Amino acid sequence: MSQQTEDQGVNLPNPAEMAKTYAEVAQRASRIITQFMEKKAKDGVEAPADELGVAKAFMDLSARLMANPYKLAQTQMNMMWDYFSLWQGSMMKMMGMPGAAPVATPKKGDNRFKDEEWEQHFLFDFMKQSYLIAARHIHDTVSSTDGLDEHTQQKVNFFTRQYIDALSPSNFALTNPEVFRETVKSHGQNLIKGLNNLLQDVEAGDGQLRIRMTDTSAFEMGKNVATTPGKVVFQNDLFQLIQYDPKTPDQFKKPFLIVPPWINKYYILDLREKNSLVNWATSQGHTTFIMSWVNPDEKLAQKSFENYLLEGSLEAVNQVCAHTGENSVNMAGYCLGGTLLMTTLAYMTAKKDKRVNSATFFTTMLDFSEPGELGVFLDEGAVTGLEKKMAERGFLEGSEMAGTFNMLRANDLIWSFVVNNYLMGKDPFPFDLLYWNSDSTRMPAAMHSFYLRNMYLENKLKDPGGITLAGVKIDISKVKTPCYFISTIEDHIAPWKSTYMGARLPSGPTKFVLGGSGHIAGIVNPPVANKYGYWTNDATDGNLPESPEDFLAGATQNAGSWWTHWHEWVTSLPGGAAKVPARQPDAGALKVIEPAPGSYVKFRLDTQKKA
C-alpha cells in the first residue's frame, strides 16, 4: 500500500509527527480549560461591560435606518442588481466565455486577495466579489445614515469595518484558496498545527489571545536590533540616557537629544544599521543622545505627566548639558514624545530657560480636535473605564494599548496572522519591525489619565494656560524656539492634518514637512532607501497657511528622504555648523553605567510569567 501511494505521488503525513501534534493540542487544551475554569471560579462572573458605548451606537443606527425604510429598500435593491450582474458574469466565466468587467474589485494594496486563484477560478472569484459587494453596500449604508452625531457615526463606521473585515472569505479555511490547497496537500495537518499555535498563543496570553506576529526568539537586543554602539550615562526611575559612540573625527557643537514616546520603546529609531536614525545622525556628526523610558509597574502608578516633564525630558536636558559642557541642545520628539517636548519648551519658556536651540517633531499632535480613528476609543465612558482598570493595577496594560493600535489596521496586523498562524499552520516570520511592534509597554495610571483627559478629551494643551504643570501655566504660543514638524500623509495614529494644526501654535520660525507613507515607515525612511519622498512649501516658512489643504496645494514634492532635508535645516541655524572634537561617552562629566541599549529597554512584557 505504501509503495502504491508513493508511486502515485501522495505524501501522507508522518504518523509520529501527527501523534505528537495531537498530544500537544490535547495537553494545551486541557491545561487552558482547567486554568480558565479555576480563574472564573475565583473571580466570579461579571456582567459584560460596554465601556465604548458600541451597543448604544448601533441601537441609534438601527433606529435611524428604520426611520427611513425607503432608503434601506433602495440600498437592498442596488445590492440585488450587483449580485445579479455578478451571477451572470460568473456563469459566463464558468462556461469559458469571456465575461464582463468585475462588479467589485479589491482596493489597491489589499493583500487578502493576492493569490491568483481569487481571480482565475470562477468559484473563488465569485466568493471574493460577493463579499466585496456586501462589504461595500453595508459600509455605504452605515456611513450615509442621516441623523447620527459625529462621534456615534465614527463608532459605527469603525466597528462595522471590524465586522466586515472579520467576515472576509480569506479568513476561513474552505473559502481561502491558499489555505484550501494546503489543507488538501497536508491532509489537514496545517489546521491541527494551527490549532496548536492558537492554543499556544492563548496560553502565552494567560487565557487571552495574544497573536504572535513574529518569532521573538530570532532577535536579541544589542545583537541584531538596537545595535548602534553607545553607553548609558545616566538613569533615574523614569529613563536611561544613552549617548552613542562617535563615528566622525569631529562633531557638531550642539548635542542632539531625542525624546521617544513611552507608549513604545525607543529602538524603532535603531532597528538595524541601515535604517537606524540614531546611527545615521551620529554618522552625520551629531553627538546623539536618546532617552530609554522605563516599562513601569505598580510602584510608579503615581508618576504623572508632570513627573515625565520634570524627571524626564527636562532632566535629560540637564544631564546632556552637564555631560557635554554645552549650554544648549537640539531636540527631537516622536509622537507622544513630541507632545512632551513641546510641553517642556512651553515650561522652559515660562522659566526663561533657553537651553533648547531647536526642536523637531515627528508625527506629533498638539491640537487634538481631530484625533482620527483613535477618537473611537476616547470618550468619557471609555476613559472612565480605563481609569477604573488602571486604579486596580496602577498602570494600563501594554497589550491593551497594542490591541487598540492593531485594530486600526486589522487586516494587516490581526487577520493576516490569523491566516498564517492558525489556518496555514505556519510559524510567524522573523521580522524586526514586528518584533518591536509586539514589545508593548505599560502606562502609569496617573500620567495616562492626565494625558487622555487633558489632551484627547478636553484638548487643553492648545489653549494658552489650559494646563498647569509644576505651578507653570503652559502656553505654546509663547514658544519661539525654531521648530521643524515632519508628519506623514498616510498616518492613521496622528493624522497629518491634525499635526498641522499643532504646528501653527508656536510663534517662532516653523517649518512643516509632509512625508510619504505612514506613522512608522514615513519616519524611519533612510536616504539609502530612496523611498516615499516628501512635500515642502518654502513660501510659507515661518507663516504657515491656515489650513493643511492650502499648505499642500502650494507644496512641492521632493524625492528621497526627509532626513537629509532636516539635517540641512538644523545645521543652517545660528551656530548649527560649529564643530568640536568627537565626544566619547566615557569622557564627559557623567559616569558610564552600562553599554547601550541598557537594561530598561530589555524588559519585555510578553516574556514575563504572571503571578
Side-chain angles (χ1 to χ4, degrees):
M1 180 68 177
S2 60
Q3 181 64 46
Q4 181 183 2
T5 55
E6 184 176 332
D7 292 342
Q8 293 174 345
V10 178
N11 297 316
L12 294 175
N14 186 309
E17 289 184 3
M18 288 185 67
K20 180 182 177 182
T21 303
Y22 274 115
E24 289 179 2
V25 168
Q27 290 174 2
R28 279 205 165 91
S30 176
R31 183 165 55 248
I32 289 170
I33 291 172
T34 301
Q35 291 173 348
F36 178 80
M37 297 301 292
E38 290 175 350
K39 185 176 181 181
K40 284 299 177 185
K42 179 181 177 182
D43 297 343
V45 179
E46 295 183 2
D50 185 24
E51 293 161 350
L52 295 177
V54 178
K56 183 181 182 304
F58 277 90
M59 287 177 64
D60 290 347
L61 171 68
S62 298
R64 297 294 178 181
L65 287 174
M66 293 300 102
N68 192 350
Y70 174 76
K71 184 175 181 180
L72 193 58
Q74 188 179 42
T75 300
Q76 292 172 335
M77 184 64 69
N78 292 337
M79 185 164 67
M80 185 188 73
W81 279 113
D82 280 346
Y83 275 125
F84 181 78
S85 299
L86 172 61
W87 180 258
Q88 188 178 40
S90 296
M91 288 301 98
M92 293 173 66
K93 189 171 187 177
M94 183 179 67
M95 292 183 288
M97 301 171 61
V103 180
T105 56
K107 292 182 179 179
K108 183 179 180 181
D110 189 343
N111 292 322
R112 296 176 296 175
F113 305 106
K114 63 182 180 181
D115 190 281
E116 61 182 16
E117 291 281 5
W118 285 114
E119 184 173 347
Q120 294 182 3
H121 194 288
F122 83 93
L123 182 58
F124 287 114
D125 180 52
F126 178 80
M127 287 188 290
K128 174 193 70 179
Q129 291 197 60
S130 294
Y131 164 74
L132 293 175
I133 288 170
R136 183 177 68 203
H137 284 284
I138 291 171
H139 183 268
D140 288 350
T141 300
V142 166
S143 61
S144 63
T145 303
D146 297 327
L148 295 177
D149 65 80
E150 184 178 354
H151 192 58
T152 300
Q153 183 71 71
Q154 191 177 34
K155 280 185 182 179
V156 297
N157 286 351
F158 179 83
F159 287 103
T160 297
R161 195 181 79 223
Q162 301 303 311
Y163 171 76
I164 290 171
D165 289 347
L167 292 182
S168 171
S170 58
N171 297 335
F172 299 91
L174 294 180
T175 54
N176 183 321
E178 189 176 7
V179 176
F180 187 83
R181 287 197 305 269
E182 183 64 25
T183 303
V184 173
K185 177 182 175 182
S186 70
H187 299 268
Q189 268 293 93
N190 58 309
L191 299 179
I192 300 300
K193 290 180 180 178
L195 178 57
N196 200 24
N197 287 342
L198 173 64
L199 294 174
Q200 182 179 340
D201 289 354
V202 172
E203 196 175 33
D206 194 30
Q208 295 184 345
L209 180 60
R210 180 185 291 164
I211 302 174
R212 285 177 298 153
M213 295 184 174
T214 188
D215 179 7
T216 56
S217 65
F219 300 95
E220 184 178 350
M221 208 79 68
K223 298 289 186 180
N224 51 6
V225 291
T227 58
T228 302
K231 303 291 190 299
V232 175
V233 295
F234 173 81
Q235 70 179 40
N236 61 17
D237 288 346
L238 285 181
F239 75 99
Q240 289 188 318
L241 181 66
I242 301 171
Q243 180 187 350
Y244 292 97
D245 297 344
K247 296 180 178 294
T248 53
D250 52 14
Q251 293 182 309
F252 293 105
K253 193 171 187 295
K254 303 288 184 187
F256 178 41
L257 169 62
I258 303 174
V259 184
W262 54 94
I263 288 178
N264 303 107
K265 293 185 179 176
Y266 84 85
Y267 66 93
I268 186 60
L269 299 175
D270 188 30
L271 279 178
R272 302 186 306 278
E273 183 179 359
K274 67 179 183 179
N275 69 353
S276 167
L277 178 62
V278 296
N279 180 71
W280 181 85
T282 307
S283 298
Q284 303 308 302
H286 294 279
T287 306
T288 307
F289 293 81
I290 199 166
M291 300 173 69
S292 175
W293 297 102
V294 72
N295 205 339
D297 57 18
E298 63 277 1
K299 293 191 291 292
L300 298 180
Q302 297 308 313
K303 290 292 184 181
S304 64
F305 199 86
E306 182 177 292
N307 293 123
Y308 271 73
L309 190 158
L310 299 177
E311 302 169 29
S313 51
L314 187 60
E315 183 63 18
V317 174
N318 294 339
Q319 298 301 326
V320 169
C321 289
H323 189 54
T324 61
E326 295 297 329
N327 59 10
S328 67
V329 301
N330 293 314
M331 295 185 71
Y334 195 169
C335 191
L336 175 54
T339 306
L340 177 64
L341 172 55
M342 182 57 82
T343 308
T344 306
L345 290 180
Y347 177 89
M348 295 175 74
T349 298
K351 293 287 189 178
K352 302 189 185 305
D353 186 341
K354 300 181 179 180
R355 288 180 296 163
V356 179
N357 181 63
S358 73
T360 300
F361 300 89
F362 308 159
T363 62
T364 295
M365 290 182 65
L366 304 174
D367 183 334
F368 290 78
S369 56
E370 296 181 17
E373 287 194 323
L374 276 178
V376 168
F377 301 91
L378 296 167
D379 55 21
E380 181 62 38
V383 172
T384 299
L386 281 177
E387 288 174 333
K388 182 180 178 182
K389 291 180 182 177
M390 292 191 294
E392 295 171 353
R393 296 181 299 219
F395 53 82
L396 177 67
E397 188 60 70
S399 60
E400 295 175 6
M401 181 68 71
T404 298
F405 286 127
N406 289 344
M407 285 179 71
L408 299 180
R409 293 176 55 204
N411 285 327
D412 293 331
L413 296 178
I414 297 177
W415 295 113
S416 65
F417 296 102
V418 168
V419 172
N420 181 81
N421 301 3
Y422 309 147
L423 299 185
M424 296 295 290
K426 296 180 179 179
D427 291 325
F429 185 77
F431 187 19
D432 53 6
L433 178 60
L434 292 176
Y435 174 80
W436 168 84
N437 189 62
S438 64
D439 192 1
S440 57
T441 58
R442 297 167 175 154
M443 303 286 110
M447 182 285 303
H448 202 52
S449 176
F450 179 92
Y451 174 62
L452 293 180
R453 287 198 170 276
N454 288 274
M455 312 303 184
Y456 275 100
L457 282 190
E458 301 175 25
N459 197 17
K460 290 182 176 180
L461 182 60
K462 67 176 177 56
D463 300 326
I467 63 174
T468 299
L469 297 171
V472 173
K473 292 185 179 298
I474 301 301
D475 188 350
I476 296 176
S477 67
K478 293 183 179 179
V479 173
K480 298 185 182 299
T481 305
C483 292
Y484 184 107
F485 286 80
I486 169 68
S487 297
T488 56
I489 198 165
E490 297 174 8
D491 197 329
H492 62 288
I493 294 173
W496 83 268
K497 293 182 180 179
S498 295
T499 64
Y500 182 86
M501 292 187 290
R504 300 184 71 247
L505 294 175
S507 55
T510 300
K511 183 177 287 290
F512 185 89
V513 177
L514 181 61
S517 195
H519 193 74
I520 301 300
I523 297 301
V524 185
N525 182 27
V528 67
N530 195 31
K531 294 170 65 176
Y532 306 133
Y534 57 95
W535 288 265
T536 56
N537 192 334
D538 295 337
T540 65
D541 285 355
N543 186 24
L544 297 178
E546 184 174 349
S547 75
E549 291 81 8
D550 289 340
F551 169 87
L552 190 57
T556 301
Q557 188 170 9
N558 308 272
S561 170
W562 65 268
W563 291 11
T564 54
H565 183 266
W566 168 82
H567 179 68
E568 293 171 1
W569 173 82
V570 76
T571 55
S572 69
L573 297 173
K579 296 205 173 177
V580 296
R583 300 179 175 106
Q584 298 292 337
D586 57 1
L590 303 175
K591 291 184 178 180
V592 169
I593 297 173
E594 60 181 331
S599 55
Y600 282 17
V601 75
K602 292 181 180 179
F603 179 79
R604 283 185 68 96
L605 298 178
D606 59 1
T607 59
Q608 303 303 308
K609 294 296 182 183
K610 297 183 180 180

